Amino acid sequence: MRLLFLFFVIYTTDAKLNVDYKVVESNIAEHVGKPYAPDWKDLDTRPLPEWYDKAKIGIFMHWGVYSVPSFGSEWFWSNWKSGDNKSIEFMNKNYPPGFTYQDFAPMFTAEFFDADAWASLFYKAGAKYIILTSKHHDGYTLFPSRRSFSWNAMEVGPKRDLVGEIAQAVRKNNLKFGVYHSLYEWFNPIYLEDKKNLYLTKNYPMTKLWPDLKQIVHDYEPSVIWSDGDWEAFDAYWNSTDLLAWLYNESPVKDEIVVNDRWGIGIPCHHGDFYNCADRYNPGKLQNHKWENAFTLDSKSWGYRRNMALHEILSIDQLLKEVVSTVSCGGNALINIGPTKEGTIAPIFQERLLTLGRWLLINGEAIYGSSPWIHQNDTYNANVWYTCTKQEYDAERPTSRPKPSDVITSVYAVFLHWPRDNMLKLRDIAPYLHTGTYKVQLLGNEGTLNWKISSGVALIPLPDKAIVESKHAWTLKFTQK
């Protein structure tokens, strides 16, 4: 059924946000069968693989040698060497003189690591894709890099191919697998020499970066490459456009791969299949390009911290707010956890993820495969976020508001706080309810809800909260009778 009332007025006033997709469609049509050129203008015409937008929920893992000191953050080595007082004091108190960061690597043992157990947890959490740090800025790789001699997980530490084990396990659970990969390495002498030469030489990307990335693509066939560590040099130094052209044209993942926007100075939030823009990026409004909110359950760090406190961990209500607001505005939620050096996931992280999974079992139809609606955050009730589902999914413009010709099958209103008087008040859905042809349901509960409109605001009496299945955040589903 078509939910198109008032569409034309709202759609035409949204010209700034809804870019000229006729031009986009024309560029895509002209590109069929042609290789992508290694320049941003041409690379930006590639349609986003549909799986990524429909997935909505991903799990991010920062795991590596920094999980051994597990102090401060995954930037421990850099902080320590740059003179951070807390890091220096920590080392002086707990380790002998002359102890180096490399000495932590044999302690990165992963003896309790069970890839299948991790994958089962991620599946139960409702995630659809998994991103693992194949290499962070310290240069240590979680795969047997042929260019990281004695500084990879196969040769020192676990003596295992951690990337390979996780890739295999998550795919057995029908989840997509992707890798985070830092472009730069803090103390790699080849990189530092290029830096000293003002990046006029490219020995590091040619002899280390590119070979590592191509090995990852050929050995593990990731669905996502999540680039980082790009900010010290321009994309020309990293050869970013050449790498992406190879990924899109020739690589074994050319039809499925998606990449983010961290490919050199000035590139973030401008180029890439999806934008991160910044860590914990959540603009709270609709964007004109597919984007992702990468955020941490531990509000202070991406890597594991042994001294994290409960109040520093996102509550389930905070987690759901991030997820719901992100998806409403056209983004994906990438939820980060830091495993321990032993290969375990902290119980508090497990609890949050499993609670999210139970919530998604009830409310997932408002999340997975959804599209932004005409409104995102209700103008009367700021605790309410909207999504919708359409009869025909539009992969070419996944973040746009519905067009007048779109057939909307359902509209969803997710409310984050239960009203004290059991009366939910909404403004932005009211003009549509005015037609009197809508059925309103509370997901997870049987039956339909009554409603009335007063002074332009929809009043929807809710059932007794005690009998409602969902315990955190609730979803109303609006469909035409």
Side-chain angles (χ1 to χ4, degrees), residues 54-101:
K54 288 188 171 182
K56 305 300 184 186
I57 309 292
I59 301 294
F60 208 179
M61 290 176 287
H62 278 65
W63 196 30
V65 172
Y66 45 84
S67 306
V68 178
S70 51
F71 178 82
S73 76
E74 68 289 348
W75 277 63
F76 177 79
W77 190 14
S78 176
N79 293 338
W80 175 28
K81 288 304 177 183
S82 64
D84 175 68
N85 289 333
K86 290 184 178 180
S87 300
I88 293 172
E89 182 182 1
F90 171 80
M91 291 303 299
N92 289 340
K93 282 185 176 180
N94 298 285
Y95 298 92
F99 195 95
T100 68
Y101 185 78

Side-chain angles (χ1 to χ4, degrees), residues 26 44 61 129 247 258 266 270 280 313 327 374 383 435 474:
S26 176
D44 287 344
M61 290 176 287
Y129 63 103
L247 281 173
V258 294
H270 291 91
R280 303 176 180 87
I313 308 302
V327 173
I374 300 167
N383 292 310
T435 65
W474 304 266

Side-chain angles (χ1 to χ4, degrees), residues 24-33 396:
V24 175
E25 290 170 350
S26 176
N27 290 339
I28 292 170
E30 290 177 4
H31 221 297
V32 174
E396 293 176 357

